[in-house]
Amino acid sequence: MNTEKTTHFGFTQVPHQDKVQRVTQVFDSVATNYDIMNDLMSLGIHRLWKRFSIELSGVQPGQRVLDLAGGTGDLAAKFATLVGEQGQVVLADINAAMLQVGRERLLDRGVLVDYAQVNAESLPFANNTFDIITMAFGLRNVTDKEAALASMLRVLKPGGRLLILEFSELKIRPLKPLYDLYSFKVLPLLGKLIVKDADSYRYLAESIRMHPNQETLLEMMQSVGFDRCDYHNLSGGIVAVHRGFKL
């Protein structure tokens, strides 16, 4: 009898320990064209989603911010201007290629932040370190989401807040067939044309469908100890911003 623990990689079941490497291969492939594809896939709307997340963060000058799965650094760059010289922003990602692209991009713009290659499930920071943690479009790629949420709670300061911006469940039912067509036909085609990689964007569509919906993620956050949890649907629930506080 095969008792090996498995998890989902898109619609495929893979050995639990293999998911990180498979996700790494996806982002190694798309890193240099990540922002271009984001603009194409969302028609630029991802910038508004991220702006809304920053507003919900309530960030103040002098605070410490951890931008997990921060990739190419667009959130980190904005946070750096808001916390000022007395604050700190750490751009963190599990993927070295994404982190390198982000570092080069921010240095070219003269934006100074700190960098860390980390696994969200076991963050290498002391307890009660950060005022704010954000994670934009990264949680669905994490193997053990509960462990990651618990790790984020640990490194937040009391009173600190977590914001998770992630694809979620579309709530406008008449649009679902069109959304499925776009997800499973158009996205892989864009991936093939722009980055010569249809498979990575097929995984993107599948990973969105496998990610916990709004209420399930809210319950997961509450179960690990986050307080005053809520969420905001954006674009009809295509994405949602979940927020939780540490007591």
Side-chain angles (χ1 to χ4, degrees):
M1 180 188 236
N2 185 2
T3 59
E4 184 176 34
K5 190 175 181 182
T6 63
T7 189
H8 60 82
F9 176 76
F11 291 161
T12 305
Q13 287 293 311
V14 300
H16 197 268
Q17 69 272 16
D18 289 356
K19 182 169 180 176
V20 168
Q21 182 57 37
R22 287 178 178 247
V23 171
T24 295
Q25 291 170 354
V26 168
F27 286 93
D28 283 350
S29 173
V30 305
T32 54
N33 292 288
Y34 185 76
D35 287 338
I36 293 171
M37 284 297 294
N38 278 351
D39 281 329
L40 285 173
M41 290 187 302
S42 71
L43 302 178
I45 298 173
H46 73 99
R47 299 176 186 275
L48 300 178
W49 298 334
K50 291 171 181 174
R51 186 182 303 170
F52 181 77
S53 300
I54 291 170
E55 290 172 359
L56 276 185
S57 75
V59 63
Q60 299 293 321
Q63 288 188 322
R64 303 182 74 181
V65 179
L66 173 62
D67 181 23
L68 275 176
T72 54
D74 45 359
L75 278 175
K78 183 62 176 176
F79 277 124
T81 64
L82 294 172
V83 302
E85 292 183 1
Q86 301 306 311
Q88 179 191 27
V89 176
V90 178
L91 172 58
D93 204 293
I94 195 171
N95 184 270
M98 291 289 289
L99 203 58
Q100 180 64 24
V101 171
R103 184 174 184 274
E104 291 173 356
R105 185 158 298 171
L106 295 189
L107 286 175
D108 285 346
R109 294 168 57 183
V111 178
L112 299 179
V113 302
D114 294 319
Y115 301 89
Q117 186 174 357
V118 304
N119 186 329
E121 298 173 23
S122 53
L123 294 171
F125 305 109
N127 295 352
N128 310 318
T129 297
F130 297 99
D131 299 285
I132 296 163
I133 298 176
T134 56
M135 192 175 199
F137 305 115
L139 187 63
R140 72 180 187 282
N141 298 309
V142 173
T143 306
D144 189 338
K145 295 174 178 58
E146 288 88 351
L149 291 169
S151 187
M152 294 179 217
L153 182 68
R154 179 185 63 79
V155 303
L156 269 176
K157 296 178 181 179
R161 69 182 74 185
L162 167 69
L163 291 129
I164 295 176
L165 172 63
E166 188 55 90
F167 292 105
S168 200
E169 183 179 59
L170 177 65
K171 297 300 185 182
I172 306 172
R173 290 190 178 278
L175 291 182
K176 285 191 175 183
L178 184 61
Y179 183 51
D180 285 344
L181 177 67
Y182 177 76
S183 298
F184 294 108
K185 299 297 183 182
V186 177
L187 286 187
L189 180 60
L190 283 174
K192 181 179 180 179
L193 293 174
I194 304 300
V195 299
K196 306 297 187 291
D197 184 353
D199 289 343
S200 291
Y201 287 91
R202 189 172 294 108
Y203 162 74
L204 167 64
E206 293 178 0
S207 69
I208 292 169
R209 299 309 190 277
M210 298 300 294
H211 185 67
N213 66 11
Q214 289 90 329
E215 288 298 328
T216 303
L217 180 53
L218 188 75
E219 292 169 3
M220 291 168 64
M221 292 172 64
Q222 292 169 335
S223 71
V224 302
F226 280 98
D227 186 54
R228 290 182 286 150
C229 298
D230 60 11
Y231 66 84
H232 300 262
N233 283 328
L234 304 177
S235 301
I238 289 176
V239 302
V241 184
H242 283 68
R243 177 175 56 174
F245 295 81
K246 180 172 180 176
L247 286 174

